[in-house]
Amino acid sequence: MNIMPNQNPPTILVQTWLQLLKSDMEQEFKLEVERKITSVFGSIEVAVIYLQEKSNST
């Protein structure tokens, strides 16, 4: 992953985005959350890896 640390959103925000995707929220809102994730990380999978790496580094 080639994202500069100061360009990444806080991990709590990324965790919230991923939790919202799993919730019973309306589909249009889930699509907006997915767009946010992909605009920052390129894919949901990379966002998950980012969180795993952050949790392993603490």
Side-chain angles (χ1 to χ4, degrees), residues 2-58:
N2 247 352
I3 300 174
M4 299 295 291
N6 60 352
Q7 294 177 330
N8 292 334
T11 56
I12 190 69
L13 180 58
V14 179
Q15 289 171 341
T16 302
W17 286 343
L18 293 172
Q19 288 173 349
L20 287 172
L21 290 180
K22 296 177 185 176
S23 72
D24 292 335
M25 192 169 56
E26 291 183 31
Q27 190 61 29
E28 67 181 275
F29 297 118
K30 285 185 179 185
L31 288 173
E32 182 61 30
V33 170
E34 189 172 338
R35 278 188 220 110
K36 289 179 189 299
I37 293 170
T38 56
S39 72
V40 174
F41 295 102
S43 72
I44 294 170
E45 292 79 15
V46 174
V48 171
I49 292 167
Y50 167 75
L51 287 180
Q52 289 171 342
E53 289 177 351
K54 292 299 260 184
S55 70
N56 288 340
S57 68
T58 58

